[in-house]
Amino acid sequence: RAVVYGSAAYEAVFLSGDLLVSFDGVTINGTYALDDVLTRYAVGDQIQIQVEREGEKQTVAVTLGELDL
């Protein structure tokens, strides 16, 4: 999926093609796993996300934003 301009992912400096590896220390194996983890957090929570970018893992600190549907 693309990173949307102005979104929380964009503000956290995510790039299209980044692969989400872990969310606040929880390994993410797919969309449903991320949905399950997200239910434990609220808008404004600060967490660590690990992504794989071009074969290298990087950890990014982010503040969770609200999802605009």
Side-chain angles (χ1 to χ4, degrees):
R1 294 188 183 187
V3 176
V4 177
Y5 178 81
S7 69
Y10 178 85
E11 298 298 325
V13 194
F14 284 99
L15 301 176
S16 292
D18 284 354
L19 175 66
L20 180 61
V21 176
S22 70
F23 187 96
D24 214 27
V26 177
T27 300
I28 302 301
N29 295 322
T31 302
Y32 295 112
L34 178 58
D35 288 343
D36 291 342
V37 172
L38 282 172
T39 62
R40 303 176 198 161
Y41 297 88
V43 171
D45 286 349
Q46 295 182 342
I47 61 157
Q48 299 286 318
I49 292 179
Q50 186 177 53
V51 297
E52 184 174 317
R53 179 181 294 160
E54 298 179 358
E56 294 187 26
K57 292 182 180 173
Q58 299 179 16
T59 301
V60 180
V62 299
T63 301
L64 296 179
E66 191 166 345
L67 177 62
D68 295 325
L69 296 176

